[in-house]
Amino acid sequence: MPAMMMDTVDGSFAVETSGLVRRFGAMTAVDGLDLRVARGTFFGFLGPNGAGKSTTLKMLTGLLTPTAGTAKILGHDVVREPVEVKRRIGVVPEELALFDRLTGGEYLEFVGRMYGMPLSTVRQRSGELLDLLGLGGESSKLLVDYSHGMQKKVALAAALIHDPDVLFLDEPFEGIDAIAARLVKTILARLLERGVTIFLTSHILEIVERLCAHVAIIHQGKLIASGTMDELRHGVPSGAGSRMTLEDLFVSLVGNPDESTGALSWLE
Amino acid sequence: MRSRLKTLLWFKLRLAAHSLRSVAGITETVITTLMILMGAILAILLAGTAVLVMLNVLLSPSPPDMILHAYTLAFGFLALFALVAPFVFGGAKAELDPARLLSFPMTKRELYGITLTTGALSGANLVWYPAIAALWITGVVEGWINPLTGLAATLLATLCFVGWQQLIVGLFRSLLRNRRLRELLAAGGMILLMLLGVLPNVLEKGKHAAAGGGTSHAQLHLAWLRPVFAAMPNRLAARAALRFDAGAAVALLALALWTAFAIWLGWRIFVWALERPDVHSSGRAAPSAGRRGLVAGPVSWLPPDAGALAAKQARYVLRSTAGKISLVTAPVFGIFAGVLAGKATHAFLGIPMPDLVFLGLCLFAAGFLNNMVFNIFVWDHGGVALYFTTPTPPRRVLLGLNTGLAAIAGLLLAETLITWSLLRGVPGLLVLTSGILIFANELIPLTIAGNVISILSPVPRDIGSPAARASGASGFVWMGVMTVEIVISGVPLLLWNTGAKPLIPVLLGVILVLELGAYRLLLPTLGQLLERRKERLLEALAGAPGS
Ligand SMILES: Nc1ncnc2c1ncn2[C@@H]1O[C@H](COP(=O)(O)OP(=O)(O)OP(=O)(O)O)[C@@H](O)[C@H]1O
Ligand SMILES: [Mg+2]
């Protein structure tokens, strides 16, 4: 009964899905996903390539409609109350989706205004964000002329400009240099202190291990493990579980034992 | 080298096959095939015409000269066709960029050879090879040309045309990698094309002017062109094919030199392009594009999100090649209409011709941005995702984008009105008001229809390409809307010769208010359509190249 109570209290969870399904034709990309992410946590969403991470994220952020099941963000249903959801979330999508014929400054201004923010606030924040990310000097350059890493930073800035409560980041560390990565980590830590929930997918498990208090692993659209690092280690049958890194855990949970010792005939 | 060549040809085939895997790909392929078929028919028709001309001139006094003339023309036409074919049939863009093959263990020389060969065997060329062969066969059958020198000349000419074609394709491809240059070229090219369209008229006028005197000045000035024409490859090929003498040998040699020069120059360009650093990622600062107030100011009365969308859309139009071209063409239409009105003296339905032309110009001006009105997401690519991840309701996304386009349409109208006024004086208040109202009355239904088509069949385009055109249906829809609008706005104009003439703008204003009401009522439905088609839209636009 207490568990039921938890479920029905509005906004208990930052992210909550139940039986979430998404099919593409005959193919099931996300298969009955039940996720719960408490508010204010740093949540790592892991899985091998093609596991369904981005598909899940797109359903949570309004880019894809679920085939079945429900998803709630801060107690608001993503299908029935999309505007309430979108007001509260920030998104860095997997494929960089910028308006590349705007300058960095214009783009951030555009995004801020799309959230209905007053122009003066938008300008102030976009200036601060660009300065913080080391793009202050580039604000009058068209985004198409930015490098990949710079575009990634602008995408992050755009996701932050309206001060979201839940931040969805699909592989934010891909393609940025070590200095920028550290900067992003610092910013994320500061957001976490402010009570922002961060939902992150990444293939860089060292970063996930260091940052994320909670981790979930999906494989072929299904949740195969979730919990804190310690809880995950307990789930592993082998006795050495207690000293395993996230990478070891990931491989042991997801990897196919037959393929794990891959061999190439001409290297024998 | 042989096996690699085979691999590459196979690869090109696969690329073509893969493009068939989406509806858009199939449409594109069907259209391309139709265009190639049309091209083939054109080539055959022209080759046939050339043959007919030749048959015809056989009966005239000095046939050999005429045959030489006809063959020169035919070869010239084929050369021209070869040069434009890769661009018309899209091959120049769809082809594989050789720079991407550099990671394989091949020398540049091999790579160049492969590029030339695969280029020579591309679909665009297969269209005219039969035509040039037909030229040779006809000549042999009719006994006009010596089979041997004829064959040599035909083969060399083919090689020469392909060589020059590949040189231009290579140059184009390497320029393609520089965004700014490419955009400039596209805009410049379009303007050049427009000028070329005007040129025959100008020349005709010049001819008429010169007709009075004996030898015209133009002829005198152009005399030096004769030897140049004689040394052109098409002329050389015709010369070598038709007469079996020492001159033929010289012509063949010259033709071979032309070919060798093309291949050598193509090689230099090829190497230059490969070694050039990728311009795209060089961190040079672009010219500032930050004239905030210009675009952001006038839309501040809208809700902030719609205002931001309108400003974004207006900026995009002004930064696109198609938009820049329309900024240039709009006053041209004003001039054109002004000149036209100056010639007309009679009246229609009691309306003096100049006034009628002016009203027609206003009606037409609403369609200047048609390609964008019918394809509002044309340059957004992956950016459309933002429309769905932000809390802005879909109807306001449409409202914002539409308003941005309408603002630029108004700018274009202002341009035409100013040129018109400079030519013919400012129209009377009644005519001016009526014109602007007719413009607005046309723009609104276009916008509504355009939204439906933009949502149902979005076509992503490169912002640097002069085309922004949406699906083929848009042209018909435009005609339809314009016809309906001519009828609707035409009714108030019937009052022109009555005492109720001042009522015309009032009635037009009533129509505008009704249309605005309908637009407001329809926007939520259009927004729902946008929301429903979200996934298809993202799929169609997001994967597309960003620049
Ligand atoms: N629009 C689509 N149409 C068809 N299939 C799709 C579509 N989007 C995703 N898929 C399929 O759904 C599955 C999950 O894809 P998804 O992008 O969610 O994986 P991912 O976990 O994000 O992988 P990665 O780590 O490589 O980013 C894949 O098999 C993919 O092919
Ligand atoms: Mg992914």
Side-chain angles (χ1 to χ4, degrees), chain B residues 101-390:
Chain B
L101 296 175
L102 255 191
S103 51
F104 295 114
M106 279 188 247
T107 64
K108 283 179 195 157
R109 215 171 283 275
E110 280 174 319
L111 204 52
Y112 182 56
I114 286 172
T115 313
L116 271 188
T117 319
T118 53
L121 294 177
S122 66
N125 283 334
L126 302 183
V127 170
W128 62 273
Y129 288 164
I132 202 167
L135 215 55
W136 172 66
I137 292 168
T138 320
V140 173
V141 170
E142 295 292 337
W144 296 327
I145 66 180
N146 177 290
L148 264 184
T149 50
L151 184 63
T154 310
L155 285 179
L156 257 180
T158 311
L159 210 61
C160 182
F161 300 164
V162 171
W164 284 97
Q165 170 200 61
Q166 287 304 305
L167 184 155
I168 290 175
V169 168
L171 191 63
F172 180 77
R173 192 186 280 137
S174 64
L175 292 181
L176 214 67
R177 289 165 59 200
N178 182 332
R179 184 175 59 73
R180 287 199 174 275
L181 205 56
R182 189 179 66 211
E183 290 175 7
L184 266 177
L185 272 181
M190 278 310 286
I191 290 165
L192 201 72
L193 269 181
M194 278 159 19
L195 284 181
L196 279 181
V198 181
L199 202 62
N201 235 327
V202 175
L203 285 183
E204 196 67 22
K205 287 226 176 85
K207 248 194 204 163
H208 278 301
T215 323
S216 77
H217 282 288
Q219 271 173 328
L220 273 179
H221 282 304
L222 294 181
W224 60 273
L225 274 177
R226 276 174 175 282
V228 174
F229 279 134
M232 292 307 274
N234 57 328
R235 167 73 182 201
L236 291 171
R239 174 69 180 77
L242 291 181
R243 288 196 212 136
F244 187 64
D245 56 10
V250 174
L252 278 181
L253 190 70
L255 197 55
L257 280 177
W258 269 106
T259 313
F261 183 60
I263 290 174
W264 173 80
L265 196 60
W267 163 245
R268 295 312 311 165
I269 290 174
F270 186 80
V271 172
W272 168 72
L274 282 185
E275 286 168 357
R276 225 154 48 106
D278 196 350
V279 211
H280 198 82
S281 59
S282 79
R284 259 176 18 86
S288 86
R291 277 155 291 154
R292 287 211 147 118
L294 182 73
V295 178
V299 290
S300 48
W301 51 271
L302 281 170
D305 47 1
L309 283 155
K312 172 252 142 200
Q313 192 77 336
R315 286 197 170 104
Y316 260 55
V317 176
L318 295 179
R319 285 169 196 178
S320 71
T321 304
K324 286 179 191 138
I325 289 171
S326 61
L327 283 178
V328 177
T329 43
V332 173
F333 274 100
I335 295 171
F336 181 75
V339 170
L340 194 76
K343 285 182 180 164
T345 47
H346 51 288
F348 180 78
L349 290 176
I351 309 170
M353 211 33 137
D355 290 339
L356 197 62
V357 172
F358 176 81
L359 296 178
L361 177 67
C362 292
L363 181 81
F364 191 76
F368 280 152
L369 290 183
N370 249 353
N371 289 343
M372 298 152 220
V373 169
F374 283 99
N375 200 5
I376 48 171
F377 308 111
V378 52
W379 304 301
D380 289 352
H381 301 292
V384 280
L386 194 78
Y387 303 152
F388 304 110
T389 58
T390 49

Side-chain angles (χ1 to χ4, degrees), chain A residues 79-224:
Chain A
V79 177
R80 276 182 288 124
E81 307 161 88
V83 174
E84 292 303 310
V85 170
K86 289 170 190 175
R87 231 192 276 290
R88 291 165 171 78
I89 62 171
V91 192
V92 175
E94 182 175 34
E95 302 97 10
L96 281 177
L98 307 170
F99 286 91
D100 60 10
R101 297 303 161 129
L102 298 181
T103 67
E106 284 169 355
Y107 179 67
L108 290 184
E109 202 172 283
F110 173 51
V111 175
R113 302 278 279 165
M114 287 292 279
Y115 285 98
M117 294 162 61
L119 196 56
S120 54
T121 320
V122 178
R123 286 200 177 145
Q124 184 208 335
R125 284 194 193 170
S126 85
E128 280 178 27
L129 278 165
L130 287 173
D131 284 341
L132 179 66
L133 291 166
L135 298 173
E138 320 271 1
S139 64
S140 64
K141 205 158 113 176
L142 294 184
L143 290 180
V144 66
D145 292 322
Y146 277 33
S147 75
H148 178 77
M150 287 156 76
Q151 292 184 352
K152 203 94 192 180
K153 289 186 202 172
V154 171
L156 181 69
L160 294 178
I161 196 158
H162 60 295
D163 194 14
D165 297 323
V166 185
L167 193 57
F168 290 95
L169 308 170
D170 203 345
E171 301 183 20
F173 296 104
E174 179 254 329
I176 61 173
D177 63 36
I179 297 160
R182 170 164 299 182
L183 182 64
V184 171
K185 281 185 264 180
T186 317
I187 295 173
L188 294 183
R190 216 181 295 163
L191 289 170
L192 201 64
E193 282 167 20
R194 280 176 49 91
V196 175
T197 312
I198 300 170
F199 193 109
L200 167 99
T201 85
S202 176
H203 292 298
I204 309 174
L205 298 182
E206 288 86 355
I207 293 184
V208 176
E209 186 167 9
R210 197 145 2 109
L211 292 179
C212 299
H214 294 262
V215 173
I217 300 177
I218 66 165
H219 186 35
Q220 292 170 351
K222 292 198 177 74
L223 193 67
I224 56 169

